[in-house]
Amino acid sequence: MARLLATIDGQSLNIPITSRGLQIGRSRQNDIVLNHPHVSRHHASLETRGRDIFVRDTGSSNGTFVNGLRVKEAALRANDLISIGPFELKFDDRAAASVIISDEELVPLQSNSRSVSSGKLPELNLDANDILQNFYQVSSRLNMILDLGELLDTIMDEVLRLVPAERGLLLMTRQDGLVPMVVRAPSETQSLTISSTIARRVLREGVALLTSDARVEFGSQDSIISQNIHSVLCVPLIGRAGVLGLIHLDSPGLERFSIRDRELLTAVAYQASLGIERANLTNQIRNEEKLRQQYARFLSPDVARTVAQQINETGEIFMKPVEQDASVLFSDIQGFTTMTETLPPLELQNLLNEYLSVMTDVIFEHGGTLDKFIGDGIMALFGAPVYYEDHAQRAIDTALDMLVQHQKLMAKIDASKHFRIRIGVNTGRVISGLVGTRERLEYTVHGDTVNTASRLEGKAEPNSVYTSEATIAKLGESYQVQEVGPLQLKGKALTVQVFRVMGKNLPSEGFEG
């Protein structure tokens, strides 16, 4: 069971998400009341579907947002931020119950423990029947599960099947400490307390700990007596990279757990640790591949892979709207409308696909970003989202190479299919970032710099590159440039000084004296 975390009217709230879900809005009939004019009476709902939790906008006036993107309905992931009016609700995938780990220094007087190592199955004090009927049965079941949430629930199911207890907790280590992920107790929404002494020793020393009567063995500390815990069984979850968490069982009554119970739980914890690491790795690979595929639409394969890895490792939302310097390139085919009238549709489509494929390769070779295809036109970015100091040079080099590749393509095809292209490049400040919905995101830039680049392309002579004074200022002396003069561009009140880039200057040859 997950929960929402929020601060409303100065009060910090921890709201469990039950199987019946939650209703959110301005009306007092809702489970979460957000009293603000920008919040509709019945604004949104949270719904549980199997193991997934969805947020759904219920016809609100001002919309429901997840991580800044407006949604009608979306599956929630850990740490997602739901924005409703001025309020932010954080989705937390940990168990709804609050688990308190006492900060008191509790020194155990006696206990029965065994060490647990990572990476190998410990020698078990179990008979062959236990190993065959229990351990291998658990192993087979856990090995089939790759979803982490389902795996953690199944681990606790198997633990309590083999070692019955009144309360069972599975806690995972995170940056903010031990986090309860699965809680099985008579009341799964109330606060629970476990001994800090037991948890610390299990985690620090890597031992499976059995106490037949916690009140006796750990003294008369209040944190144990107040919960009336008599018997505790606690084992660490240790992976190859270190401690992953722990499994904690407790029950009232004397000597509720045995050495056999400890051995069984140790064996299950070993297999559970392997499964958790496998599920984490599987989830990481899936996320990176999903992100890579999304960004590969407009980034070169290497850059897309790097970006996906960074997002997956940091958990940060990539490419939030930002103002930055960049260079923008537009190109299109001159007289494309005429071509549509003279060429059969299939031939035209094949020719266009080949041309766009060649041009895309050129853009990627220079580290550019393919923003979009606009019919026969191309919009490309340089310096965004991956910033390069030499973005203006990259844009002009791309434009010149596009002319070269265009000529090579024309040499391969029948003269009746020949066409000419125009290219415009501009440099300046842009607003860049992701736009769209959570289901369909596009990366783009906008602003006057973009509009000017498009107008320059429209004014360019066939098979030429037109650019602005802002771009020329960043090129240095490496290019042959011809001044076109001031031109009146559509949508611009003032004329724009325009230049034609003829090519690159050949490097001067040195002479030995």
Side-chain angles (χ1 to χ4, degrees), residues 50-71:
R51 297 181 183 276
D52 294 323
I53 294 176
F54 288 76
V55 60
R56 182 170 63 87
D57 186 272
T58 52
S60 70
S61 300
N62 295 308
T64 301
F65 298 79
V66 176
N67 300 329
L69 299 172
R70 188 165 184 166
V71 300

Side-chain angles (χ1 to χ4, degrees), residues 109-142:
L109 302 178
Q110 58 178 328
S111 62
N112 190 319
S113 63
R114 61 159 299 156
S115 63
V116 179
S117 302
S118 64
K120 63 179 181 178
L121 178 65
E123 293 184 6
L124 301 172
N125 185 18
L126 295 172
D127 59 34
N129 184 60
D130 271 335
I131 294 176
L132 288 173
Q133 290 192 0
N134 293 314
F135 176 64
Y136 288 116
Q137 180 181 346
V138 172
S139 300
S140 298
R141 187 176 180 191
L142 298 187

